[in-house]
Amino acid sequence: MCVIVQPAAMATGGAPMPGATQMATKVELTISCENLMDMDVFSKSDPLCALYINSTGSHWYEFGRTEMILNCLNPKFAKKFVLDYYFEMVQRLRFCVYDIDNDTYDLSDDDFLGELECTLGQIVSNRQMTRPLRLKNNRPAGCGTITITAEEITDNRVAHFEVAARRLDKKYLWWSDPFLEFYKLTETGWQLAHRTEVMYNNLNPVWTPFRISLRSLCGGDVEKPIKVECYDHRYNGSHALIGTFKTTLAEILCERKQTKKNYKNSGVLCVKRCQVQKEYTFLDYIMGGCQINFTIAIDFTGSNGDPKSPQSLHYINPEGYNEYLTAIWAVGNVIQDYDSNKMFPVFGFGAQVPPNWQTVFSSLKLFNTDELLLDVCVAGIEGVVDAYQKCLPQLKLWGPTNFSPIIKHVSCFARQALYQNMASQYYVLLIITDGVITDMDQTRAAIVEASRLPMSIIIVGVGGADFSAMEFLDSDDKLLRSPFGDVAARDIVQFVPFREFQGSSVALAQSVLAELPDQVASFFNSYKLKPPRGPDDARPPEYSTLT
C-alpha cells in the first residue's frame, strides 16, 4: 500500500501484587503532560515519567519509565505501562515527572517537575484522568498537569508493519530527518499509539519493522480511523510537520490507495507489509510448557572486603543474611516456580579458586562435592544458599570484575534452545555485583549477541559503589550498541541497586522481574515460536496479510 502524504499546510487534524490470588484484569496506561515547568536555560525541559508502585507500608518501588522526549513541555509518551488490576485491592501509584539533564540512570540528580499520587482504581473508574502535578512540598508544580488514560487489555492481536517513504519534502536546506507517529481516535481526540525512530538525512527512509497492538492502534476495530503524521526531527523539540493522512487498518489490509487531487503532495508513504496476528501471552507460554532456566553469578572480587569483617558485603550477619543472600532469596523464590526440576547453576567470578588459585569464573558446587565436574547445578534456592555459604571460606577474593565469560556461557545454552524451533526454554541470568565492570567492551558485545537469543539478564548492584556502567547496560531509552557498532535486537538487561530496596525483598523481586514477562512473550512471538503444548497445537490465526 502506498499513501500520498498530505502536506502540512492542508492537515486538518506487570508484576503481580504480593499476596494477590484473585483473578486480575490487565490494564494499559497511557501518559501525557501539559504545561510542564521549563527548567532549562537555553532550551525546554526534556521530560520523562517514572511510575512507582507502593508495595508495603511507606515503601515504593519503580515499576518502569517512559521514554525521554527532548525539549518538550507538552509531552505525549509513546511507551505505555501494563498493570494487573485487582478490584478488591487498593493499588497505590505514584507518577513522577523529571527533566533529564544527564545520562545516568539515577533520577535523584535530575530536575523534578512534579508528581501525582493516586490509586489504580481511580484511574480505571475515570478511564481518563487529568490532575495537577505537585512538588515534594505539595505545592503546585507551576501549571503542569498529567493525563492518564486506562484501557483494559482484552485483545492480543498486533499489527506488524514494514514502512518506507519516497520523495519526502526537504524541511531544512536539502534534507529532512523524518519519523512517523501513529494515532488512535478516542472519545477525547487523537491519542499517540506509536512513534518510529528518526531516519537522519534521508528523503527516502525505510524504517525498522515495528509492531503496534490493535488495542493501541484502533481499539481492536479495524474500521476505526487512524492518523499518521510524518515529522522532520528538530533537536529543540519544535519538529516540523512534513505531512499527514488518515486511513483505517482495514484499508491498509485491503491495499486501497488514498489519493487526492489538486495539490502538490509532500511525499509518498509505502506500507510494504502489514500483518495482523494474534500473539501468545506470557501465561500462554508458561502454561504451554515453557521452562524458565535460572542461573546465578556472584561477585567475589576483592572490593567486597574480607568476608570475616562486618564491613564486608560478603559478611554473613548473626541472622544469617547479607545483601547477596537477600537478593538470591528475593529473586530466586519467584523464578523457581517456573522451573520444573528446580536445579540451578550457580557460579562465582573474580575470586582465586583452589587448588591452583587461578582467577576464573567457576561453579560454586565444585568446591563442595566430589561429584562429576559436569554437574554444576544445585537443588533449589536452598541449595544455592548452601553452596554460597560453604564455598565462601575457601576462596580468595581477588579480581577483575568480568561479566562477559558468564554471559557467553549462558548464551551457549540459550542458542541451543533456539535451535529447537519451539518456545520450550528461556534463560534468565542473575548477576549480583558490587562494582565497576572491567571488561565493558566484551560485556557490551556479549549482551548484543545475547539479545537475539531466548535470554534475559538481571543485575543487582550491592553496596554503595558507582553503578553508572550498569545503568548504561540497562538501555531503556535506546538499544545498546557493541564496540563494533552492532545494535541489540532488544533490551534484555534490567539493573537495580539493592540500596533502594533495603528491608523489602518483595519490592526488590517485583522491580527486577517486572520486565521479564514481556521479554519472554515478545521474543518468542517475534520468532513466531509457539508453546510446546496447548489445547490448540496450531499457531494463532493470522487474520490478514499485506506484502
Side-chain angles (χ1 to χ4, degrees):
M1 173 185 178
C2 291
V3 180
I4 305 298
V5 180
Q6 183 176 333
M10 299 190 61
T12 56
M17 294 295 292
T21 58
Q22 302 86 350
M23 291 295 291
T25 299
K26 286 194 175 294
V27 295
E28 180 183 76
L29 304 183
T30 302
I31 314 297
S32 62
C33 299
E34 290 189 351
N35 303 314
L36 295 178
M37 294 187 297
D38 192 355
M39 306 299 288
D40 295 341
V41 178
F42 300 106
S43 61
K44 299 175 183 176
S45 294
D46 306 322
L48 169 152
C49 181
L51 170 60
Y52 297 85
I53 296 180
N54 179 255
S55 55
T56 54
S58 60
H59 191 89
W60 297 77
Y61 73 93
E62 183 180 325
F63 178 82
R65 303 179 182 185
T66 67
E67 75 277 18
M68 182 264 289
I69 299 180
L70 286 171
N71 298 305
C72 185
L73 301 182
N74 301 288
K76 297 178 180 178
F77 298 105
K79 184 175 180 181
K80 305 172 190 299
F81 301 117
V82 176
L83 300 175
D84 287 327
Y85 167 62
Y86 299 89
F87 173 78
E88 58 284 332
M89 294 182 63
V90 177
Q91 296 170 258
R92 295 168 58 198
L93 309 179
R94 180 182 292 161
F95 299 85
C96 298
V97 184
Y98 292 89
D99 171 27
I100 305 302
D101 296 317
N102 50 57
D103 294 329
T104 66
Y105 189 80
D106 187 5
L107 294 173
S108 63
D109 55 359
D110 296 301
D111 292 325
F112 183 64
L113 300 179
E115 68 180 15
L116 170 68
E117 186 174 326
C118 62
T119 68
L120 185 54
Q122 289 175 305
I123 300 172
V124 169
S125 61
N126 283 278
R127 293 187 63 184
Q128 179 169 298
M129 186 174 78
T130 300
R131 296 288 187 273
L133 290 168
R134 315 290 294 188
L135 298 176
K136 296 294 186 182
N137 56 11
N138 204 32
R139 295 177 57 188
C143 299
T145 63
I146 184 170
T147 298
I148 307 162
T149 303
E151 188 170 359
E152 181 182 2
I153 298 177
T154 57
D155 191 340
N156 290 331
R157 292 176 297 167
V158 297
H160 297 264
F161 286 97
E162 292 181 14
V163 181
R166 300 197 304 264
R167 302 188 300 276
L168 293 179
D169 278 355
K170 304 170 185 176
K171 287 295 181 179
Y172 183 77
L173 297 178
W174 54 84
W175 71 78
S176 286
D177 302 326
F179 68 94
L180 301 176
E181 290 187 341
F182 289 72
Y183 287 85
K184 173 178 74 172
L185 183 61
T186 69
E187 296 175 355
T188 56
W190 293 102
Q191 182 182 98
L192 180 64
H194 181 79
R195 181 184 293 118
T196 69
E197 80 274 35
V198 179
M199 304 298 292
Y200 291 99
N201 191 19
N202 198 331
L203 300 181
N204 300 283
V206 178
W207 284 278
T208 303
F210 56 91
R211 56 193 287 275
I212 313 176
S213 69
L214 262 65
R215 177 185 66 255
S216 298
L217 183 62
C218 57
D221 182 358
V222 297
E223 299 290 348
K224 199 169 188 177
I226 298 168
K227 183 171 69 170
V228 181
E229 294 182 341
C230 182
Y231 286 93
D232 174 36
H233 181 267
R234 304 288 173 82
Y235 281 103
N236 62 7
S238 58
H239 310 305
L241 182 64
I242 296 176
T244 183
F245 69 89
K246 295 176 184 176
T247 185
T248 66
L249 187 57
E251 288 179 331
I252 297 176
L253 293 169
C254 291
E255 302 185 65
R256 298 175 184 169
K257 287 189 176 181
Q258 291 187 336
T259 60
K260 292 184 181 292
K261 298 182 179 179
N262 303 322
Y263 72 91
K264 180 181 181 296
N265 69 67
S266 294
V268 178
L269 187 73
C270 297
V271 181
K272 302 168 64 178
R273 173 178 173 267
C274 179
Q275 181 180 358
V276 176
Q277 178 183 340
K278 182 178 178 181
E279 291 195 337
Y280 291 107
T281 66
F282 174 69
L283 285 181
D284 288 334
Y285 285 112
I286 295 301
M287 297 173 72
C290 179
Q291 294 293 306
I292 306 295
N293 299 284
F294 188 40
T295 300
I296 302 173
I298 300 174
D299 183 341
F300 288 109
T301 55
S303 55
N304 285 276
D306 184 354
K308 298 176 183 178
S309 169
Q311 284 72 43
S312 171
L313 293 169
H314 280 297
Y315 174 75
I316 300 177
N317 63 29
E319 288 77 28
Y321 282 91
N322 59 26
E323 293 189 9
Y324 282 92
L325 287 172
T326 302
I328 292 170
W329 278 113
V331 181
N333 274 333
V334 176
I335 287 287
Q336 70 175 349
D337 289 340
Y338 301 97
D339 190 317
S340 59
N341 64 14
K342 294 179 173 53
M343 296 297 293
F344 303 125
V346 53
F347 295 92
F349 61 91
Q352 291 185 333
V353 300
N356 299 323
W357 302 107
Q358 294 178 334
T359 304
V360 294
F361 90 87
S362 181
S363 167
L364 300 193
K365 189 174 182 182
L366 302 186
F367 304 134
N368 311 300
T369 180
D370 295 327
E371 298 176 27
L372 295 175
L373 295 182
L374 294 178
D375 182 11
V376 298
C377 294
V378 295
I381 298 304
E382 295 83 358
V384 175
V385 172
D386 183 62
Y388 169 78
Q389 293 174 329
K390 287 181 177 179
C391 80
L392 197 55
Q394 304 182 47
L395 303 176
K396 290 182 181 178
L397 274 59
W398 205 254
T401 308
N402 291 342
F403 282 10
S404 60
I406 184 62
I407 295 175
K408 291 178 180 178
H409 178 78
V410 177
S411 295
C412 289
F413 294 93
R415 187 173 292 104
Q416 293 175 14
L418 189 59
Y419 291 151
Q420 298 176 11
N421 201 31
M422 186 174 291
S424 58
Q425 307 283 335
Y426 195 92
Y427 289 81
V428 177
L429 171 61
L430 170 64
I431 302 175
I432 313 176
T433 183
D434 83 314
V436 178
I437 303 173
T438 51
D439 65 339
M440 176 57 82
D441 285 350
Q442 296 92 327
T443 295
R444 287 168 55 194
I447 291 174
V448 169
E449 183 178 357
S451 70
R452 296 170 176 85
L453 301 172
M455 176 176 169
S456 293
I457 302 171
I458 298 169
I459 303 175
V460 177
V462 297
D466 177 12
F467 292 121
S468 56
M470 315 299 178
E471 295 160 357
F472 171 75
L473 297 177
D474 187 355
S475 49
D476 288 332
D477 292 332
K478 58 183 179 181
L479 292 173
L480 185 68
R481 284 182 178 269
S482 76
F484 314 107
D486 298 328
V487 182
R490 59 197 180 102
D491 177 21
I492 65 169
V493 177
Q494 174 78 347
F495 167 75
V496 295
F498 182 89
R499 56 178 174 257
E500 293 185 3
F501 301 92
Q502 293 282 9
S504 181
S505 59
V506 172
L508 173 65
Q510 289 175 326
S511 181
V512 300
L513 297 174
E515 297 180 4
L516 185 60
D518 183 63
Q519 289 175 350
V520 173
S522 62
F523 175 82
F524 287 134
N525 279 307
S526 67
Y527 278 80
K528 298 181 173 58
L529 298 177
K530 63 181 181 180
R533 64 176 186 271
D536 182 4
D537 288 335
R539 289 184 78 278
E542 295 180 358
Y543 289 82
S544 260
T545 302
L546 167 66
T547 56

